[in-house]
Amino acid sequence: MAGHSKWKNIQRRKNAQDAKRGKVFMKLAKDIYVAAKEGGGDPETNPSLRLMIEKAKSANMPNENIDRAVRKATGNLDGVSYEEIIYEGYGAGGTAIMVEILTDNKNRTAADVRHAFSKNDGNLGETGCVSFMFDRKGIISINREEVTLSEDDFMLEVIECGGEEYEVNEDTFDIYTEPDMFKEVKDQLVSKGYSISTSEMTMIPQTFASLGAEDTKKVLNLIDTLEDLDDVQEVFHNLEVDEEEYEEYVN
């Protein structure tokens, strides 16, 4: 549970950065495009597309943008075809980094990612070099005011719904699931009357790396550089940064 809390803090800061950069809609549109391209444009019969649309709506993405991404995928309006790639590597101090990519030009993207690693004292590695350090999990968040049960009773309800565990944060209860149970747990919680604030599939590090100030700054610079690339959808890492260190970095 403690590891999840560290991940949650990292994720919250990352999400805030994405929103500031104004790139979140573009990244979500690519996710919607790929989901619709692979499974069709009807969210009722395409769970991946339904999840991406829910994620987009929770980020206040306009319906027009969502519809346009679906139409492009199903009608090939712009002739663009995106490819999904995962790059793995190391930041300063041996920090594990995973980068999820959606690109229409993998040669361009490979060069951009490699350059981001090299200029920030990192190394792009082979497939599988760090992925074993992460667990793929579903995370479903429910606002705390939605839960009227005691924590013990809510824990039993989460288990009944198929969830692995949950943790209490300042504003939410976060339920963790195995990937193949993600949709079932979410549907079960909705059937019990809960409103889901956010839900997503993610990569949670098994262990975290705590570095000195200089190496921490290099890794944060690497993460920022990667997230600034248009083709990068997500950056997962195992760097542990406390609030004081992070505030010093951003300021």
Side-chain angles (χ1 to χ4, degrees):
M1 299 289 273
H4 289 171
S5 295
K6 292 175 184 177
W7 172 86
K8 188 69 176 179
N9 289 336
I10 290 169
Q11 190 77 354
R12 187 178 295 113
R13 289 192 291 266
K14 187 183 77 62
N15 289 344
Q17 287 176 310
D18 283 347
K20 287 180 182 178
R21 293 190 183 100
K23 292 191 173 185
V24 65
F25 287 173
M26 179 178 66
K27 294 177 184 290
L28 287 168
K30 285 184 177 180
D31 280 336
I32 292 168
Y33 176 97
V34 170
K37 192 79 172 176
E38 293 180 348
D42 184 358
E44 293 300 317
T45 58
N46 184 345
S48 295
L49 177 60
R50 183 166 62 248
L51 176 61
M52 290 302 103
I53 290 175
E54 289 172 357
K55 186 175 179 180
K57 287 183 175 179
S58 70
N60 297 315
M61 185 174 180
N63 288 332
E64 179 183 350
N65 296 37
I66 296 171
D67 293 341
R68 185 184 304 117
V70 173
R71 289 199 306 270
K72 284 182 178 181
T74 56
N76 200 27
L77 299 181
D78 59 358
V80 174
S81 179
Y82 291 108
E83 182 177 358
E84 295 180 272
I85 307 170
I86 295 179
Y87 290 107
E88 302 179 35
Y90 303 92
T95 310
I97 308 280
M98 293 184 66
V99 190
E100 287 190 355
I101 299 289
L102 274 177
T103 181
D104 59 350
N105 186 329
K106 64 181 182 181
N107 291 330
R108 176 198 67 217
T109 304
D112 289 344
V113 171
R114 189 176 299 278
H115 178 66
F117 272 91
S118 64
K119 82 171 188 176
N120 291 287
D121 283 353
N123 294 287
L124 192 58
E126 299 294 328
T127 299
C129 68
V130 301
S131 56
F132 69 93
M133 302 181 190
F134 295 81
D135 294 319
R136 188 159 182 80
K137 297 288 183 182
I139 178 171
I140 302 164
S141 297
I142 298 174
N143 290 331
R144 290 191 65 171
E145 59 264 26
E146 287 269 332
V147 180
T148 57
L149 300 174
S150 70
E151 289 191 21
D152 287 343
D153 287 341
F154 183 62
M155 178 181 67
L156 292 175
E157 195 156 69
V158 167
I159 293 171
E160 288 175 3
C161 291
E164 277 193 324
E165 59 182 348
Y166 81 92
E167 68 178 8
V168 184
N169 286 289
E170 183 178 351
D171 301 315
T172 61
F173 284 91
D174 297 328
I175 296 112
Y176 295 88
T177 78
E178 289 295 330
D180 59 352
M181 290 294 292
F182 177 68
K183 181 180 183 302
E184 181 177 338
V185 173
K186 185 177 176 182
D187 289 347
Q188 287 284 337
L189 289 167
V190 170
S191 72
K192 291 182 179 294
Y194 294 109
S195 297
I196 309 300
S197 61
T198 61
S199 61
E200 62 180 326
M201 296 298 302
T202 190
M203 302 294 290
I204 298 179
Q206 297 168 1
T207 58
F208 288 80
S210 180
L211 308 177
E214 184 176 347
D215 280 346
T216 294
K217 185 174 181 180
K218 288 177 182 178
V219 176
L220 289 172
N221 282 335
L222 170 57
I223 293 165
D224 280 348
T225 303
L226 289 168
E227 288 180 342
D228 275 337
L229 298 177
D230 289 344
D231 295 328
V232 171
Q233 296 297 101
E234 297 281 357
V235 179
F236 303 108
H237 62 87
N238 69 342
L239 175 67
E240 181 179 357
V241 188
D242 63 32
E243 293 295 335
E244 185 176 336
E245 285 179 306
Y246 187 75
E247 289 301 321
E248 183 178 339
Y249 169 74
V250 296
N251 294 323

